Amino acid sequence: MGKKTEAAGFTPTGAVYKSTKLPKPTKKTHKSLGIKKDELLGLFECMYRQRRFEERAAQMYQKGKFGGFLHLYIGQEALSSGLNHALNADDDIITAYRDHGMGLARGIPTKAGMAELFGKKTGCSNGKGGSMHFFDVEKHFWGGHAIVGAHLPLGAGIAMANKLRDEKKVTVCLFGDGAVDQGSLNESFNIAQLWKLPVVYVIENNGYSMGTSVARHSAGELVDRALPYGMKHDIINGMDLFTVIEKFQQVAEEVRNDSLPHLIEVRTYRYRGHSMSDPGNYRSKEEMQEFKTFDPIERLKTYILENNIADEKKLEGISEEIDKEILEAIKFAEESDFPDDEELYKHIYADDDFPYLK
Amino acid sequence: MGKKTEAAGFTPTGAVYKSTKLPKPTKKTHKSLGIKKDELLGLFECMYRQRRFEERAAQMYQKGKFGGFLHLYIGQEALSSGLNHALNADDDIITAYRDHGMGLARGIPTKAGMAELFGKKTGCSNGKGGSMHFFDVEKHFWGGHAIVGAHLPLGAGIAMANKLRDEKKVTVCLFGDGAVDQGSLNESFNIAQLWKLPVVYVIENNGYSMGTSVARHSAGELVDRALPYGMKHDIINGMDLFTVIEKFQQVAEEVRNDSLPHLIEVRTYRYRGHSMSDPGNYRSKEEMQEFKTFDPIERLKTYILENNIADEKKLEGISEEIDKEILEAIKFAEESDFPDDEELYKHIYADDDFPYLK
Amino acid sequence: MAEKQFREALREAMTEEMRRDERVFIMGEEVAEYDGAYKVTQGMLAEFGGRRVIDTPISELGFAGVGVGAAMNGMRPIVEFMTFNFAVVGIDQIINNAAKIRSMSGGQVNIPMVFRGPNASAGQLGATHSVAFESLYAHFPGLITIFAADPYDAKGLLKSAIRDDNPVIFLESEQTYGMKQEVPDEEYLIPIGKGVIKRDGSDVTLVAHGKMVHVAQMAAKELEKDGIEAEIIDPRTIKPFDIDLVIESVKKTNRLVIVDESHPFGGVAAEVGFQIQRDAFDYLDAPILRVTVPDVPAPFARNLFDLWFPSPKNVIDAVNTVTYRK
Amino acid sequence: MAEKQFREALREAMTEEMRRDERVFIMGEEVAEYDGAYKVTQGMLAEFGGRRVIDTPISELGFAGVGVGAAMNGMRPIVEFMTFNFAVVGIDQIINNAAKIRSMSGGQVNIPMVFRGPNASAGQLGATHSVAFESLYAHFPGLITIFAADPYDAKGLLKSAIRDDNPVIFLESEQTYGMKQEVPDEEYLIPIGKGVIKRDGSDVTLVAHGKMVHVAQMAAKELEKDGIEAEIIDPRTIKPFDIDLVIESVKKTNRLVIVDESHPFGGVAAEVGFQIQRDAFDYLDAPILRVTVPDVPAPFARNLFDLWFPSPKNVIDAVNTVTYRK
Ligand SMILES: Cc1ncc(C[n+]2csc(CCOP(=O)(O)OP(=O)(O)O)c2C)c(N)n1
Ligand SMILES: Cc1ncc(C[n+]2csc(CCOP(=O)(O)OP(=O)(O)O)c2C)c(N)n1
Ligand SMILES: [Mg+2]
Ligand SMILES: [Mg+2]
C-alpha cells in the first residue's frame, strides 16, 4: 500500500502493538492463590483439553466433516480456565461466538461439544446452534452469541435477575476487542453502573478484530471505555493463568459484596486465523513468534515442572488421556444421529403445538 | 413515593443538581470578544426573536391552530445565538427535535418557521416536517431530528464530506443530555476521533431528559463520555452568551486547524415543559426560580444597559419590532396554503415519476 | 363491570399480573416517577416500588436486551417502549436475541417477556414517529405479535401475553388510550391467536386490527345505510394469525377487504390476502383489496396527513369495488 | 467479453464508478487492508487509497449513519455491510434517516448512496446469520431495493444504483460471489425497476429473485423433462417491483408460483401474490403458491438446514399443484 495512501487515509495504519502490550504477570504462586496440586493439574488438563479439542476440530473441519464457521480460541485458554476456576459453579457466564474454550472450561463435555460442531442431536445445543452457539444453561453457561456486541445487555440482564432474587451471584460477560465499538457497550455500561448490577464485563483483547488491529478500530485505550461511568476497571495479562485467577477471585468477591460492575481488559492473543478462511496476512511472523513465547499452556507446564508439582511423564499421561478423550468425542459425534426432521419445528416457541404459518 | 421504594429502586432518585451546576461565565467583554455594538444588539434581537416566536407558537398551539408535538427551546437561546455568531455562514449545523431556536438563529425567517409549525407549503420544510424537522440546507442547517441520538453519526458524516473535499469547515452536532445514553454516541465518537473528523459534538444539558434528571439517566459526568476516545472536551455555562461565543470561537478555530473532534457540554435550562403536555411535576419551584435568575436574555439586557450600549428605549424598540415580526409571521402562516395534495407523493424519491406501489 | 379507559385496562392487566407473580416487573422510559409518558403505568411505582417499576435511560437497545437477559434468567419482564418507533434502535435485541436464542440453544432457554407500547401513527407526529410495525415483527419467527383494538381485548390479551412463555410484541395506540369500554373487574384471559367477529354481516368481509377496527366500524355503519352488511373480523393477534376465522367468513361473503395501517409492501394485508387467495380461491367472487397507508412516509401537514391515513371512505370505496357497485 | 465472477463484476462496477465520479467512496468492515471479507473489494485500496476505501470499526449504526451524513452533504457513499444480518443493529439509520430525511425536509436533502453486501443464508451459519431482508427494506418507503442474481445483472445494476440519487439497498449472496458469467468489458447499465424473463415458458410462471433464480432454473429443467415449460421472471429490483412483467406472463400461463428466500409472513412472495390476485384475478386458473423458507429461524444441523432451505423439489411440488398434476 503506497505511502501517499497511508498518509491520506482515515483509518490509522499499522501500530498493532498499541493496546496489546502485556502487563506483568502476577508473582503469586499456586499456593498463595490457594490452588491445590491436583487442582493445578486439573487446570493444566482443562487448558490442554480446549487446545486439543480445537486442533482436532480444525482437522475435522478441513476434512469436511462439518460446515458453518469455525473460530478457534487457541492461545486464549488461560482466560477461560482461570475464570472458571475463580467463579462459583452457579455464577453466570455469557460470551461471544469464539466460545468453545469457555464452554469446555465451564464443563461442557467434549462429546457434547464435538457433536454440536457436527450438528448432531447429542450436541450441547442439540445441533441447533453449531460452533458459534454452545450453550449449557444448567452449568450457567448462557451461550456463545454471534452478533458482535449484542450479548452485552444480556449479561446485564442476567445479573439483574440475580439481583432481583437477592442472589449474591456474579455474572461475567466476555466479548472481543472489536465489540468495544458497538453502541451496546455504551448503553449496557451506563445501565449496569446506574443500576449497580453485579456484572463483570471482560474484553478479550486478542489484538485483532478479524484483520483489523485494535489501533485501527478503536480510539484510545480499550479499558478507558469504563471511565465515563466511573466503572471499576483494570488491565491484566491474559496469557498467565495465575494472573487471571488472582484477578477474578478478587473481582468476584468485590462484586458479591458491593454489587458494582467492573470492566476487565484481558490481553491475550489468537494464534489461529479469525476463522478457518483467514490467511492472517495482517500480522507478521515476528509478532506471532513473540506471542508464541507466552503460550499459556507451555507457561503452566514449565511452572509445574520447575516446581516439581508433576514430572514430564505425569503431564504426558494427562495429555494422552485428553487425546483419547477427544478422539472418542469425534467418534461419538460422527456416530451420533442428526436431529429428527421434526426438530425443525421444535424449540422455536415454548409451545410444541404452535400453529406455524405455511 | 415511599422511602422503602427509594432505597430498593434501581434508578437513583432525586439529586437533580448533579451535572447541572453552572460553571462560571467568562469575564470577557463584548469588545474583547470582538463583538461590535450593532452586532451585540443583533444578538439581543436574535435571542428575543426565538423567545417570542416560541411564546406565540405556544399560544397558537393551545388555540389549536396546529397539531403535532411542540418542544420549546425557551431558556436555551444563548447557545443557539452564540454558536451561530461564532461560526461561519458555511459551517454546518445539525440538531435534535427541539430545533426552533437553532433554526431561527441560523437564519430561518420567522415566517418560514411559523408556517412550518402550521404545516403550510411556505414552511421551511414545505410543511412536510413540522416543529421537529426544521430544515434550511442553503444556510447549512441540516435539520432537527426526532429519533434521540440518531443524528450523531450524521454530524460525523457531514464533517467527513467536508474533509473529503478539503474544505476547512466545522460541523456542529447538538443533542440533549438524554441522547448521551444512546449507543450512537459511542459509535460516532469513536469514528470521529479515529478518523479525525472536524465535528464538534455539543450536549445541550438542560438538566432533564423529559421527566428524568441527568443524575437519574446517566452514570458519571456527561462530559466524561469523551474520555475513552481521548476526545477534547469542556463544560461551559450555557446561560451566558459571551461564554458560548468565546468557547465556540476558540473551538471552531482549533478544528479548522487540526481537524479533531470536540465534545462540549453546555449547561443550560429548559423553562418550559418537555413538550406542551408536560406538567413538569419532576422539578421544584425553587429550582425553576433559581434558573430564572440566569435567564440569558435578561442577562444580556442587563449587560447592554449597564455598559450603555443602548438604553431601555432602544431595546424596547427592538422588542416591539420583533413582536410585530412574529405577529406578521403568524398571519403569514395562517394565510399560507397547505401543500397541494400531489405533495403527498413528492420528495419521497429523487424522481418525481417514481412508480409508487398501490 | 365498569367503563374503563384503554390505559386503565392495560394498567389493571399489569398490576394484577405483578401481584400474582413477583417475577413480573416493568421497565421503560418515564414509566416510574413520571407515571408513564401516556399515564399507562400511573401509580404502579407507588404500589410496587423502584425494584419492579423501573425508569430507564433512553437506551432502547440496552434495556430491551437487559429485559431479554433477565427473562433468560427466570424473570418475566415487561419492556415498555415509549412508542415502537423507538424500538427500531433496539430491534436487534428483539428479532435476533429474544426471537432466536431459544432455538439456537436447542430449547434450553426460555424467554417469557412482553415488549409493549404504542404503535403506528398518532396524528401529525411526522415521518419517524408514525410507523406501523406489526408486519415487521410478524415477519420474524420466534415472536408473537398482538395488536389490541379496545380496552376489553387489551386487558385480556395483555394478561395472557404476560403469562405466555414466548417473547410477545404487544402493540397499542396513543389514540385509543383514552377510549372507554365496559371491562369486567373479575379476572379474564383472552387466548392468543384467536380472532373475533366484531360485526356480523354477509355481504363482505372486512379484516381489520388495532386502530383500523374503528375505521372499519365507521365504514360499516355507512355501508349499512346503503344496504351492505359488512362482517368485521379483528384477528387481535397478528402472529399466530387466526386465518380460519377469515376463511369461514369469506366462504359466506365471497368478498374480502383488508384494512391495515401498515405500508402496503409485505404488510399484514398482503399476507392475509395471499393466504385467502391460496386457501379460499374458489370462494372469491372478486379480487381481494386492501386499504393501507400509502407507500410514503407520514407527512406533517394536516391535509396531507388526512390524505395519508386510511379513512372510512377508502374502505367504502374498496367495498364498492369488490361488490361491483361502482 | 470475458467470464467474470460475481465478485469481480461488483468490483468492476464500483471501480468504474469511482474512477468516473470522485464523490463515490466505499467504507465497511475489512473492505480496505483485508481486501474485503469476501474479496469483493480486492485491490481497491491499492488503487484509490485510504481516503476512498475505508476500513470501519464494527459500528454498523455509526458508519451507516456517517454514510448518510456524507451523502446529505454531497458525497455518494457505498456502505458495505459484511452481511445484512449485521445491518440490523444500524437499521434505524437506514429506514429512518436514509429513507425519510428527504421527505421530512420537504425535498431539500438528497441522499445518493448504496448500502450493499450479502443477504440471506449461506449454509450452516446459524439463526442470526441467515436472514433474508429484502421484504423488510421494501416495506419501508424511501428506499430502493435490488437483489441481483448473476454477475451480468449485478454489474449493470450496481452501476445504476451508484448513480441513482436515492438510497439503494443492494443485496448479494456469499454463495454466488464465485459464480461465473460472461460480462462485457464495455460499459453498460441496467435500469432499476425493470425485471427480465430468464426462461421462456407457457405452462406456469415462476417469479424468483436473487439466489432463488437458480433454484427456479433447476426446477424448470426437471419440469421440462416432464413436459412442463416454466417461465422464469427475475424482477431484479424488489422495489420498485416490475409487476407488469409478471402480469403479462400470468395472462399467458394462468399459473403462478413465487420462490422467495424470505420468511413467509409478509415476504416478497406475499406481496407479489397479493398484487397478482388483485390485478390479474380473472387470468388465474389456480391459486398462487409460494415457496419460501419455513417460518422458523435457520437451524444449524446440516439435515435440518437442507429441509429449511427452498429446494427445486419444493418448487416442482408447487408447480404440480397449480397445474393440478398431483
Ligand atoms: C454486528 C456484527 N458486525 C459484524 C460481524 C462480523 N464479525 C464476526 S466476528 C468479527 C470480528 C470480531 O472481533 P473481536 O470482537 O475482536 O472478537 P475475536 O474474533 O477477536 O474473538 C466480525 C466483524 C458480526 N458478527 N456482527
Ligand atoms: C430513540 C428514542 N427514544 C425515545 C424517544 C422519545 N423522546 C423524545 S425526546 C425525549 C427526551 C430527550 O431528552 P434530551 O435528550 O435531554 O433532550 P431535551 O428534550 O432535553 O432537549 C424522549 C425520551 C425518541 N424520540 N427517540
Ligand atoms: Mg479480537
Ligand atoms: Mg435534556
Side-chain angles (χ1 to χ4, degrees):
Chain A
M1 199 179 57
K3 186 91 204 65
K4 163 198 133 296
T5 308
E6 293 192 24
F10 281 95
T11 303
T13 52
V16 51
Y17 277 81
K18 177 220 148 204
S19 294
T20 57
K21 255 173 152 313
L22 286 175
K24 292 235 161 313
T26 179
K27 296 236 169 322
K28 292 247 173 89
T29 64
H30 67 288
K31 285 211 195 61
S32 55
L33 287 167
I35 305 172
K36 298 185 211 61
K37 284 192 171 193
D38 57 335
E39 283 180 320
L40 192 58
L41 294 178
L43 282 159
F44 171 79
E45 182 182 317
C46 175
M47 284 206 268
Y48 188 76
R49 177 180 289 111
Q50 296 166 54
R51 180 72 55 97
R52 289 303 288 158
F53 177 92
E54 290 197 317
E55 287 170 346
R56 289 292 189 190
Q59 289 173 355
M60 295 302 115
Y61 186 87
Q62 271 140 349
K63 280 194 190 168
K65 297 277 188 181
F66 59 90
F69 283 140
L70 183 69
H71 306 92
L72 304 181
Y73 195 66
I74 293 177
Q76 308 180 208
E77 299 94 342
L79 174 54
S80 51
S81 313
L83 175 62
N84 180 66
H85 178 84
L87 296 181
N88 296 340
D90 66 350
D91 285 328
D92 295 292
I93 299 176
I94 184 166
T95 188
Y97 52 87
R98 195 176 297 282
D99 59 359
H100 313 145
M102 193 66 246
L104 293 173
R106 195 56 173 165
I108 291 178
T110 44
K111 283 181 173 165
M114 193 63 74
E116 190 57 38
L117 295 181
F118 279 66
K120 300 301 182 76
K121 72 198 294 183
T122 52
C124 57
S125 300
N126 303 335
K128 282 286 196 83
S131 164
M132 303 196 290
H133 306 299
F134 276 24
F135 277 80
D136 191 337
V137 170
E138 277 187 9
K139 300 203 170 66
H140 296 270
F141 180 65
W142 294 98
H145 296 267
I147 299 295
V148 168
H151 64 294
L152 272 69
L154 301 185
I158 290 166
M160 183 186 193
N162 290 335
K163 183 165 186 159
L164 278 163
R165 287 188 296 259
D166 295 314
E167 293 169 347
K168 294 226 163 305
K169 290 166 58 178
V170 178
T171 300
V172 176
C173 177
L174 304 108
F175 53 94
D177 49 278
V180 160
D181 303 320
Q182 278 286 326
S184 59
L185 180 135
N186 177 21
E187 302 194 8
S188 303
F189 281 19
N190 182 56
I191 289 173
Q193 189 71 41
L194 197 68
W195 295 359
K196 302 190 167 58
L197 301 180
V199 58
V200 179
Y201 282 107
V202 177
I203 305 174
E204 291 199 58
N205 177 5
N206 58 11
Y208 295 90
S209 165
M210 227 162 147
T212 307
S213 64
V214 172
R216 300 187 63 245
H217 69 66
S218 293
E221 287 295 327
L222 299 182
V223 75
D224 289 352
R225 300 290 170 119
L227 296 179
Y229 322 95
M231 188 184 287
K232 301 190 216 176
H233 57 279
D234 202 354
I235 306 180
I236 65 166
N237 181 323
M239 307 303 272
D240 180 63
L241 178 71
F242 290 178
T243 305
V244 172
I245 291 174
E246 177 184 32
K247 187 59 181 181
F248 285 100
Q249 280 178 337
Q250 169 235 315
V251 166
E253 193 184 340
E254 237 177 277
V255 174
R256 285 183 221 286
N257 294 331
D258 63 12
S259 181
L260 286 173
H262 283 249
L263 173 63
I264 309 297
E265 178 186 343
V266 176
R267 293 193 172 165
T268 179
Y269 199 75
R270 144 167 82 66
Y271 291 145
R272 300 300 186 95
H274 167 72
S275 67
M276 297 301 286
S277 66
D278 170 20
N281 306 331
Y282 45 84
R283 53 185 175 181
S284 66
K285 294 217 171 13
E286 297 65 37
E287 180 186 312
M288 176 70 81
Q289 280 322 314
E290 181 190 352
F291 277 95
K292 279 274 170 75
T293 63
F294 308 130
D295 187 321
I297 297 181
E298 288 310 312
R299 229 181 131 75
L300 181 59
K301 198 166 169 183
T302 313
Y303 179 93
I304 289 173
L305 296 175
E306 285 178 352
N307 296 273
N308 310 313
I309 291 151
D311 57 13
E312 281 281 4
K313 211 163 142 311
K314 173 77 175 165
L315 294 185
E316 267 160 29
I318 294 174
S319 310
E320 279 158 20
E321 280 309 307
I322 295 290
D323 295 345
K324 267 218 236 77
E325 177 185 324
I326 306 290
L327 292 176
E328 279 159 21
I330 289 171
K331 188 159 181 299
F332 174 81
E334 292 199 284
E335 292 171 357
S336 292
D337 294 333
F338 281 110
D340 312 337
D341 288 357
E342 300 69 53
E343 270 294 314
L344 183 60
Y345 287 95
K346 290 267 168 65
H347 306 310
I348 312 304
Y349 291 91
D351 346 60
D352 274 341
D353 61 346
F354 188 83
Y356 289 94
L357 167 61
K358 286 278 170 298
Chain B
M1 200 179 57
K3 186 88 204 67
K4 165 199 133 297
T5 307
E6 292 192 23
F10 282 96
T11 304
T13 53
V16 51
Y17 277 83
K18 175 219 150 206
S19 295
T20 59
K21 253 173 151 313
L22 287 174
K24 293 235 162 312
T26 178
K27 296 236 168 320
K28 292 246 176 94
T29 65
H30 68 289
K31 284 212 196 61
S32 55
L33 287 167
I35 305 172
K36 298 185 210 64
K37 285 193 172 192
D38 58 335
E39 284 180 320
L40 192 60
L41 295 178
L43 282 159
F44 171 79
E45 182 182 318
C46 175
M47 284 205 270
Y48 188 76
R49 176 179 290 110
Q50 296 166 54
R51 180 72 55 97
R52 288 303 288 159
F53 177 92
E54 290 198 317
E55 287 170 348
R56 288 294 190 188
Q59 290 173 354
M60 295 302 118
Y61 186 87
Q62 271 140 349
K63 280 193 190 169
K65 297 279 188 179
F66 60 89
F69 283 139
L70 184 68
H71 306 92
L72 303 181
Y73 195 67
I74 292 176
Q76 308 180 209
E77 300 95 339
L79 174 55
S80 51
S81 312
L83 176 61
N84 181 64
H85 178 85
L87 295 181
N88 296 339
D90 66 350
D91 285 327
D92 296 292
I93 299 177
I94 184 165
T95 188
Y97 52 86
R98 195 176 298 281
D99 59 357
H100 313 142
M102 193 67 246
L104 293 173
R106 195 57 175 164
I108 291 177
T110 44
K111 284 182 171 163
M114 195 63 74
E116 190 59 36
L117 296 181
F118 279 66
K120 301 300 181 76
K121 72 199 291 185
T122 52
C124 57
S125 300
N126 304 333
K128 283 287 196 82
S131 164
M132 302 196 292
H133 306 298
F134 276 25
F135 277 82
D136 191 337
V137 170
E138 276 186 8
K139 299 205 170 67
H140 296 271
F141 180 65
W142 293 98
H145 297 267
I147 300 295
V148 167
H151 64 294
L152 271 70
L154 301 184
I158 290 166
M160 183 186 192
N162 291 335
K163 182 164 186 158
L164 278 164
R165 286 188 297 259
D166 296 312
E167 292 169 348
K168 293 225 163 305
K169 291 165 60 178
V170 177
T171 300
V172 176
C173 177
L174 305 107
F175 53 94
D177 50 279
V180 161
D181 304 320
Q182 278 286 325
S184 59
L185 180 135
N186 177 21
E187 302 195 9
S188 304
F189 281 19
N190 183 55
I191 290 172
Q193 189 70 41
L194 197 68
W195 295 359
K196 301 189 168 61
L197 301 180
V199 58
V200 179
Y201 284 107
V202 178
I203 305 174
E204 290 199 58
N205 177 5
N206 57 12
Y208 295 91
S209 164
M210 228 161 145
T212 307
S213 65
V214 172
R216 301 187 61 246
H217 69 67
S218 293
E221 288 295 325
L222 300 182
V223 75
D224 290 350
R225 301 289 170 122
L227 297 179
Y229 322 95
M231 189 184 285
K232 300 189 213 177
H233 57 279
D234 202 355
I235 306 180
I236 66 167
N237 182 322
M239 306 304 272
D240 180 64
L241 178 71
F242 290 177
T243 305
V244 172
I245 290 175
E246 177 185 31
K247 186 60 180 183
F248 284 101
Q249 281 176 339
Q250 169 236 314
V251 166
E253 192 184 341
E254 237 177 275
V255 173
R256 284 184 224 285
N257 294 331
D258 63 13
S259 180
L260 287 173
H262 284 249
L263 174 63
I264 309 297
E265 178 186 343
V266 177
R267 293 193 173 166
T268 177
Y269 199 76
R270 147 165 80 66
Y271 291 146
R272 300 300 187 94
H274 167 73
S275 66
M276 298 301 286
S277 65
D278 170 22
N281 305 332
Y282 45 84
R283 53 184 175 182
S284 66
K285 293 218 171 14
E286 299 64 38
E287 179 186 312
M288 176 70 82
Q289 280 321 314
E290 181 191 353
F291 277 95
K292 278 275 169 73
T293 64
F294 309 131
D295 187 322
I297 296 181
E298 289 308 313
R299 229 182 129 76
L300 180 59
K301 199 166 169 183
T302 312
Y303 178 93
I304 289 172
L305 296 175
E306 286 178 350
N307 296 274
N308 308 312
I309 291 150
D311 56 13
E312 281 281 5
K313 215 166 135 308
K314 172 77 177 169
L315 293 184
E316 268 159 29
I318 293 174
S319 310
E320 278 158 19
E321 280 308 307
I322 294 291
D323 297 343
K324 269 221 237 72
E325 179 185 324
I326 305 292
L327 292 175
E328 277 160 20
I330 289 170
K331 188 159 180 298
F332 173 82
E334 293 200 285
E335 290 172 357
S336 292
D337 294 334
F338 281 111
D340 310 339
D341 289 356
E342 299 69 55
E343 270 293 314
L344 183 60
Y345 288 95
K346 288 267 167 66
H347 306 310
I348 312 302
Y349 291 91
D351 347 56
D352 275 340
D353 60 347
F354 187 84
Y356 288 96
L357 167 61
K358 284 276 169 297
Chain C
M1 179 135 105
E3 278 233 323
K4 288 166 195 165
Q5 284 190 355
F6 200 111
R7 60 165 59 81
E8 293 167 329
L10 294 171
R11 190 184 309 141
E12 279 188 1
M14 293 190 284
T15 302
E16 289 172 17
E17 293 307 305
M18 282 175 72
R19 289 177 186 147
R20 180 176 171 274
D21 184 343
E22 64 178 14
R23 295 169 302 174
V24 180
F25 69 94
I26 178 166
M27 61 176 155
E29 292 152 19
E30 310 294 345
V31 299
E33 296 202 2
Y34 198 81
D35 272 333
Y38 299 100
K39 301 299 168 240
V40 171
T41 54
Q42 194 156 44
M44 290 178 66
L45 173 65
E47 173 170 358
F48 298 103
R51 268 171 78 96
R52 297 183 67 192
V53 181
I54 306 162
D55 282 324
T56 65
I58 311 179
S59 307
E60 283 78 5
L61 185 131
F63 66 78
V66 167
V68 176
M72 290 168 69
N73 192 13
M75 303 303 292
R76 306 183 74 89
I78 301 169
V79 170
E80 175 177 307
F81 292 115
M82 197 174 282
T83 85
F84 267 88
N85 296 288
F86 314 139
V88 174
V89 292
I91 201 162
D92 177 65
Q93 293 296 325
I94 304 173
I95 68 175
N96 276 322
N97 285 350
K100 299 186 171 83
I101 285 177
R102 176 193 301 275
S103 150
M104 293 190 299
S105 67
Q108 289 177 73
V109 182
N110 205 32
I111 304 180
M113 69 186 297
V114 175
F115 297 97
R116 51 154 293 273
N119 176 57
S121 73
Q124 295 172 267
L125 301 187
T128 64
H129 283 43
S130 308
V131 181
F133 288 99
E134 53 266 46
S135 63
L136 185 159
Y137 290 111
H139 180 68
F140 293 99
L143 303 170
I144 281 172
T145 301
I146 295 171
F147 196 163
D150 53 47
Y152 177 84
D153 288 352
K155 183 176 178 182
L157 283 164
L158 182 52
K159 284 171 70 79
S160 298
I162 294 169
R163 294 188 196 185
D164 196 88
D165 277 340
N166 298 294
V168 178
I169 308 292
F170 192 92
L171 306 168
E172 306 155 9
S173 166
E174 300 97 307
Q175 293 184 313
T176 54
Y177 280 149
M179 170 188 180
K180 289 188 161 178
Q181 189 183 24
E182 295 283 312
V183 175
D185 299 315
E186 48 286 352
E187 167 154 316
Y188 67 98
L189 298 172
I190 293 177
I192 290 169
K194 291 271 156 279
V196 61
I197 296 173
K198 290 228 162 133
R199 185 182 191 284
D200 291 303
S202 51
D203 300 326
V204 63
T205 301
L206 300 180
V207 170
H209 60 276
K211 239 170 37 242
M212 292 299 102
V213 171
H214 310 295
V215 173
Q217 293 279 18
M218 287 184 268
K221 282 203 189 60
E222 285 305 308
L223 288 161
E224 185 174 7
K225 299 177 188 160
D226 222 0
I228 297 289
E229 292 302 336
E231 180 148 288
I232 298 178
I233 291 179
D234 176 358
R236 298 193 292 201
T237 304
I238 305 303
K239 189 177 200 170
F241 195 95
D242 189 354
I243 199 70
D244 296 343
L245 191 63
V246 181
I247 291 173
E248 281 320 301
S249 177
V250 168
K251 283 183 176 175
K252 177 174 63 179
T253 65
N254 312 112
R255 291 164 167 76
L256 174 61
V257 171
I258 305 148
V259 193
D260 176 14
E261 197 179 340
S262 316
H263 290 296
F265 196 109
V268 173
E271 178 60 28
V272 174
F274 180 90
Q275 289 190 48
I276 294 303
Q277 70 78 34
R278 182 189 63 188
D279 303 337
F281 190 73
D282 298 335
Y283 295 92
L284 288 170
D285 288 351
I288 300 159
L289 294 188
R290 64 184 169 194
V291 174
T292 70
V293 298
D295 201 24
V296 304
F300 172 73
R302 164 99 270 150
N303 64 317
L304 296 182
F305 181 83
D306 292 343
L307 273 176
W308 181 84
F309 191 73
S311 67
K313 166 142 193 346
N314 300 145
V315 178
I316 291 163
D317 292 345
V319 168
N320 287 336
T321 305
V322 298
T323 52
Y324 303 107
R325 289 150 27 87
K326 76 133 212 271
Chain D
M1 178 134 107
E3 278 232 323
K4 287 166 196 165
Q5 284 189 357
F6 200 110
R7 58 166 60 81
E8 293 167 331
L10 294 170
R11 191 186 307 143
E12 278 188 3
M14 293 190 284
T15 302
E16 288 172 19
E17 294 306 304
M18 283 177 72
R19 287 177 187 149
R20 176 176 173 275
D21 184 342
E22 64 178 14
R23 295 170 302 176
V24 181
F25 69 93
I26 177 165
M27 60 176 156
E29 291 152 19
E30 310 294 344
V31 299
E33 296 202 2
Y34 198 81
D35 272 334
Y38 299 100
K39 302 294 170 252
V40 170
T41 54
Q42 195 157 43
M44 290 178 66
L45 172 65
E47 173 170 358
F48 298 104
R51 268 172 78 98
R52 298 183 68 193
V53 181
I54 306 163
D55 281 324
T56 65
I58 311 179
S59 307
E60 284 78 6
L61 185 133
F63 66 77
V66 167
V68 176
M72 290 167 70
N73 192 13
M75 305 304 292
R76 306 183 73 88
I78 302 169
V79 170
E80 174 176 308
F81 292 115
M82 196 173 284
T83 85
F84 266 88
N85 296 288
F86 314 140
V88 173
V89 292
I91 201 162
D92 177 65
Q93 293 296 326
I94 303 174
I95 69 176
N96 275 321
N97 285 348
K100 299 185 171 82
I101 286 176
R102 177 194 300 276
S103 148
M104 293 189 299
S105 67
Q108 288 177 74
V109 182
N110 205 33
I111 304 181
M113 70 186 297
V114 175
F115 296 97
R116 51 156 291 275
N119 175 57
S121 73
Q124 295 172 266
L125 302 187
T128 65
H129 282 44
S130 308
V131 181
F133 288 98
E134 54 266 46
S135 63
L136 185 159
Y137 290 110
H139 180 68
F140 294 98
L143 303 171
I144 282 173
T145 301
I146 295 172
F147 196 164
D150 53 45
Y152 178 84
D153 288 352
K155 183 176 179 184
L157 282 164
L158 183 51
K159 285 171 69 80
S160 297
I162 294 169
R163 293 186 196 187
D164 196 89
D165 277 339
N166 299 295
V168 179
I169 307 292
F170 192 92
L171 305 168
E172 307 154 9
S173 166
E174 300 97 309
Q175 294 184 311
T176 54
Y177 280 149
M179 171 188 179
K180 290 188 160 183
Q181 189 184 25
E182 296 283 312
V183 176
D185 299 316
E186 49 285 352
E187 165 153 318
Y188 66 98
L189 297 172
I190 294 176
I192 291 169
K194 292 272 156 279
V196 61
I197 297 174
K198 290 231 162 130
R199 185 182 192 285
D200 290 304
S202 51
D203 300 325
V204 61
T205 301
L206 300 179
V207 170
H209 60 276
K211 237 171 34 243
M212 291 299 102
V213 172
H214 310 295
V215 173
Q217 292 280 19
M218 287 184 268
K221 281 203 190 57
E222 285 305 308
L223 288 161
E224 185 175 8
K225 300 179 188 158
D226 223 0
I228 296 289
E229 292 301 337
E231 179 147 289
I232 299 178
I233 292 180
D234 177 358
R236 298 193 291 201
T237 304
I238 306 302
K239 190 175 197 173
F241 194 96
D242 189 353
I243 199 71
D244 296 343
L245 191 63
V246 180
I247 292 173
E248 281 320 302
S249 178
V250 168
K251 283 184 177 174
K252 179 173 63 179
T253 64
N254 312 112
R255 289 161 169 77
L256 174 61
V257 171
I258 304 147
V259 193
D260 175 13
E261 197 178 338
S262 315
H263 289 296
F265 196 109
V268 173
E271 178 59 29
V272 173
F274 180 89
Q275 289 190 47
I276 294 302
Q277 69 78 32
R278 181 188 64 189
D279 302 337
F281 191 73
D282 299 334
Y283 295 92
L284 289 170
D285 289 348
I288 299 161
L289 295 187
R290 63 183 169 194
V291 174
T292 70
V293 298
D295 201 24
V296 304
F300 172 74
R302 163 99 269 151
N303 65 317
L304 297 182
F305 181 83
D306 291 343
L307 273 176
W308 182 84
F309 191 73
S311 68
K313 166 142 192 345
N314 299 146
V315 178
I316 291 164
D317 292 344
V319 168
N320 286 337
T321 306
V322 299
T323 53
Y324 302 108
R325 288 150 26 88
K326 72 132 212 267

